[in-house]
Amino acid sequence: MSMTTDDCTVVREGFPRPFPDTPSKVLEQFRLHGKVVVVTGAADGIGLAVADAMAEAGANVALWYNSNDAAVQRSQELAREYSIKALAYKVDVSDAAQVQKAVSEVVHDFQKIDVFIANAGMSISKPILEQTLDEYRKQMSVNVDGVVFCAKYAGEIFRRQGFGNLIVTSSMSGHIVNVPVDQPVYNATKAYVTHFAKSLAREWRDFARVNIVSPGFFDTKMGAGPLALNEAYRMSAMGRQGHVKEIKGLYLYLASDASTYMTGSDVLIDGGYVLP
């Protein structure tokens, strides 16, 4: 039941909460020096671009990957190029035990986790009547279970520390039914993690922020396939896919002190695809 006007006049103990002790100059707010950021799915595509962005802003970075060990070399390159600490961890996010172990290893290696970016995902773009149950389970295990496991174990660290920041990579597919390729399972996984993250923003309100990034088609392996490419160009107000360099700033904003009054938000970055 909503409060009455009389109820609203009662002073609640502990409110209003204080403003954060963060820089007032905007460029200083974007600096991540001394912060530790974990990025899953960091071997290529959006995840790699995001890991690069965090290192460029001065953060120490843990790059999680599953099968593409290019993340190992990239972590070494980031450490040299930006004079930060960067390590790569081989983790199957669909395996809860591996996620729990990797979170513990990151805390051991870096002493804390300031930001966790749950970015790993996969797609099997088929109609449900053509998709096997194993293909369904695979998408659920990575896109849904993987985010839940990462949130659970990173969240435990955030609560213990008294601070934290979770960013979940969802998709515009959590907002719309993509055309022309039917992919109901993938779309549903993204709708799940979007609402899950919004719910966490409330659950963790006393110690952590949670936000969602919902990309449209970007020119990566997860971007528009051959059957959807022309439609992606037609549907986007900008007439193209995005380049990964165009999403780095959004993740940096959400990871940084520039966004300290932002939680529970779902930010679309899709070139205007969902407008029609």
Side-chain angles (χ1 to χ4, degrees), residues 218-270:
F218 277 76
D219 188 15
T220 69
K221 289 189 295 187
M222 286 282 289
L227 297 177
L229 192 58
N230 287 332
E231 187 69 357
Y233 297 157
R234 187 185 74 83
M235 287 288 290
S236 169
M238 292 187 170
R240 61 176 174 86
Q241 295 192 94
H243 190 285
V244 291
K245 68 183 179 182
E246 297 177 287
I247 203 169
K248 294 165 71 174
L250 175 54
Y251 280 90
L252 176 58
Y253 170 71
L254 293 175
S256 73
D257 288 340
S259 61
T260 49
Y261 194 54
M262 192 168 183
T263 194
S265 293
D266 176 15
V267 185
L268 275 162
I269 178 167
D270 66 349

Side-chain angles (χ1 to χ4, degrees), residues 19-97:
F19 296 128
D21 183 19
T22 54
S24 58
K25 294 185 180 299
V26 69
L27 292 183
E28 292 180 11
Q29 293 176 3
F30 282 92
R31 293 176 182 151
L32 299 181
H33 295 87
K35 293 193 176 183
V36 176
V37 182
V38 178
V39 184
T40 72
D44 57 17
I46 289 175
L48 178 56
V50 170
D52 287 354
M54 301 299 120
E56 290 166 22
N60 299 312
V61 186
L63 292 81
W64 285 20
Y65 69 99
N66 182 28
S67 57
N68 186 353
D69 59 9
V72 177
Q73 180 177 344
R74 187 55 185 152
S75 68
Q76 297 167 353
E77 293 170 349
L78 290 175
R80 288 194 301 269
E81 187 172 357
Y82 298 107
S83 299
I84 52 96
K85 183 174 181 178
L87 298 173
Y89 300 78
K90 183 175 174 59
V91 188
D92 178 356
V93 296
S94 69
D95 184 325

